[in-house]
């Protein structure tokens, strides 16, 4: 007598096969952008009605038109959403503060990376929140909002880290957090000095492709080339030697935040030439922030025009009544 409660399997079966990691793939992405070219940026404000200000930022992958040969996500992009709540009065239990209290929180969604993340706040999220708060502290005119506070919450919907142990991708995440948080602050109408934009640059090692361009230096004793690039992507480079991210105020020509990871002196060039030193790395990061600032200003301009158009329409409706 057959067991009717048991679900029988299919007649034709196949063994379970796992997908290889992107590091095992032979078709690794190649950088098609110029060394001084950043990825395309999509930025829009006013997406969260319940918040005082909000913004959404997305970095499009460089090789969006190439064919997909694997189920592994080999063309990562960066997607961030930010909300700004405030300025609002502080609780009565809080000590008196003559300046605006800024609180920044960065949180990765569980599905943001290839390895599913937990809901408990990780140490890298605390570090990103501290760096973001430092970058925004020089932006807001805090003396105009005494006994008040602003909460900046950034949610990373998709990150571009190559593995769960890599922290190189966090530099691009911090750069995007600075830009999207600045857009949310502008959307909230908080008095600020200027818009602060994030920029990132890196010294990368790549397999040489003859002929070697003039902006690359062949490392002695190896078959690799050293390249100074703006807006690096982990999937497009074999190895990153040093990465620098800055928060840049162009009106004051001031850097509100700088974070350097790696050793810029071990970039493969001769130390006497000092072609790709720390100063060159910071200059390229500032240049990347200046280009991202153009997109930020255009997004703020479109949002302001839309708000004025809606306000004029509401005034016309009131006048007709």
């Amino acid at each position: 007598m057959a067991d009717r409660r048991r679900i029988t399997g299919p007649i034709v079966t196949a063994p379970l096969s796992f997908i290889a990691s992107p590091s095992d793939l032979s078709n690794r992405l190649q950088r098609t952008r110029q060394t001084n070219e950043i990825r395309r940026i999509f930025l829009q404000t006013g997406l969260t009605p319940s918040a005082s200000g909000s913004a959404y930022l997305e970095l499009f992958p460089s090789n969006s038109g190439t064919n997909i040969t694997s189920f592994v996500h080999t063309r990562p992009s960066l997607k961030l959403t930010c909300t700004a709540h405030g300025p609002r009065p502080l609780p009565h239990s809080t000590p008196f503060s003559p300046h605006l209290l800024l609180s920044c929180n960065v949180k990765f969604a569980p599905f943001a990376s290839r390895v599913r993340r937990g809901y408990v706040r990780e140490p890298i999220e605390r570090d990103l929140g501290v760096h973001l708060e430092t970058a925004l502290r020089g932006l807001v005119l805090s003396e105009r909002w005494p006994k008040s506070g602003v909460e900046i919450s950034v949610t990373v919907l998709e990150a571009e880290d190559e593995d769960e142990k890599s922290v190189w991708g966090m530099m691009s995440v911090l750069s995007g957090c600075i830009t999207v948080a600045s857009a949310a602050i502008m959307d909230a109408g908080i008095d600020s000095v200027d818009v602060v934009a994030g920029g990132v640059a890196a010294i990368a090692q790549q397999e040489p492709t003859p002929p070697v361009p003039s902006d690359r230096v062949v490392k002695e004793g190896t078959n690799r080339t050293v390249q100074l690039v703006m807006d690096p992507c982990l999937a497009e480079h074999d190895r990153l030697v040093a990465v620098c991210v800055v928060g840049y105020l162009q009106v004051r020509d001031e850097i509100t935040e700088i974070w350097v990871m790696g050793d810029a002196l071990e970039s493969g060039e001769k130390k006497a030439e000092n072609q790709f030193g720390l100063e060159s790395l910071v200059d390229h990061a500032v240049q990347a922030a200046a280009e991202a600032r153009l997109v930020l200003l255009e997004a703020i301009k479109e949002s302001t025009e839309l708000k004025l158009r809606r306000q004029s329409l509401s005034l016309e409706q009131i006048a007709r009544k």
Side-chain angles (χ1 to χ4, degrees):
M1 184 176 180
D3 189 0
R4 298 181 180 180
R5 298 182 180 179
R6 180 175 299 177
I7 301 177
T8 57
I11 300 176
V12 181
T13 60
L16 179 63
S17 60
F18 296 93
I19 302 177
S21 60
S23 59
D24 299 335
L25 298 177
S26 59
N27 55 344
R28 188 179 181 89
L29 289 180
Q30 298 296 329
R31 183 183 176 99
T32 58
R33 297 175 285 127
Q34 299 294 330
T35 56
N36 58 348
E37 181 182 358
I38 65 175
R39 287 172 287 182
R40 295 181 301 162
I41 302 176
F42 173 80
L43 182 62
Q44 187 175 357
T45 60
L47 299 180
T48 307
S50 59
S52 303
S54 60
Y56 172 79
L57 182 141
E58 181 175 353
L59 286 179
F60 294 97
S62 303
N63 304 69
S64 58
T66 56
N67 297 327
I68 300 176
T69 58
S70 174
F71 289 103
V72 182
H73 191 47
T74 58
R75 295 198 302 269
S77 60
L78 182 63
K79 299 178 182 178
L80 305 172
T81 177
C82 177
T83 57
H85 299 274
R88 51 190 179 186
L90 296 175
H92 296 284
S93 58
T94 306
F96 173 78
S97 175
H99 303 285
L100 178 70
L101 295 182
L102 187 64
S103 175
C104 297
N105 180 24
V106 179
K107 179 62 181 173
F108 284 84
F111 49 85
S113 58
R114 187 179 300 108
V115 178
R116 188 172 181 85
R117 297 177 177 269
Y119 295 94
V120 182
R121 196 176 182 186
E122 301 178 1
I124 188 62
E125 296 174 346
R126 298 188 183 93
D127 295 340
L128 291 176
V130 172
H131 287 285
L132 179 60
E133 182 178 350
T134 305
L136 299 179
R137 192 172 299 169
L139 170 67
V140 181
L141 296 175
S142 58
E143 63 274 4
R144 296 188 180 182
W145 303 93
K147 300 175 60 177
S148 302
V150 175
E151 296 180 3
I152 307 296
S153 300
V154 180
T155 304
V156 182
L157 301 179
E158 183 176 346
E160 53 183 7
D161 53 337
E162 191 161 343
D163 52 66
E164 66 274 11
K165 297 182 180 180
S166 176
V167 294
W168 296 102
M170 299 299 102
M171 310 295 279
S172 297
V173 172
L174 177 60
S175 174
C177 289
I178 295 174
T179 305
V180 72
S182 178
I185 290 176
M186 295 297 108
D187 186 55
I190 302 175
D191 299 337
S192 304
V193 177
D194 186 21
V195 291
V196 58
V200 59
I203 300 177
Q205 289 185 353
Q206 195 76 11
E207 295 292 339
T209 55
V212 179
S214 59
D215 59 344
R216 300 184 182 183
V217 178
V218 179
K219 191 173 183 179
E220 298 180 358
T222 62
N223 58 347
R224 294 177 179 269
T225 57
V226 180
Q227 192 176 11
L228 181 58
V229 297
M230 293 167 47
D231 191 13
C233 182
L234 290 177
E236 297 175 351
H237 303 284
D238 295 335
R239 178 172 176 264
L240 297 181
V241 179
V243 184
C244 175
V245 58
V246 298
Y248 182 60
L249 284 172
Q250 187 171 356
V251 172
R252 291 187 172 183
D253 194 15
E254 178 183 345
I255 296 178
T256 60
E257 168 64 18
I258 181 171
W259 187 14
V260 182
M261 183 178 297
D263 192 354
L265 298 179
E266 296 181 359
S267 54
E269 78 285 2
K270 297 180 180 179
K271 293 184 179 180
E273 298 177 357
N274 196 18
Q275 184 177 359
F276 296 152
L278 181 60
E279 294 184 1
S280 301
L281 188 63
V282 175
D283 291 342
H284 278 68
V286 170
Q287 184 179 354
E291 295 187 9
R293 183 179 183 271
L294 301 177
V295 182
L296 179 59
L297 292 177
E298 191 66 24
I300 296 173
K301 180 180 178 182
E302 293 179 358
S303 176
T304 305
E305 292 177 354
L306 181 60
K307 289 181 180 179
L308 294 177
R309 195 179 303 114
R310 291 178 179 176
Q311 185 177 1
S312 61
L313 290 177
S314 60
L315 292 177
E316 290 179 0
Q317 294 178 358
I318 294 174
R320 291 177 183 177
K321 294 181 180 179

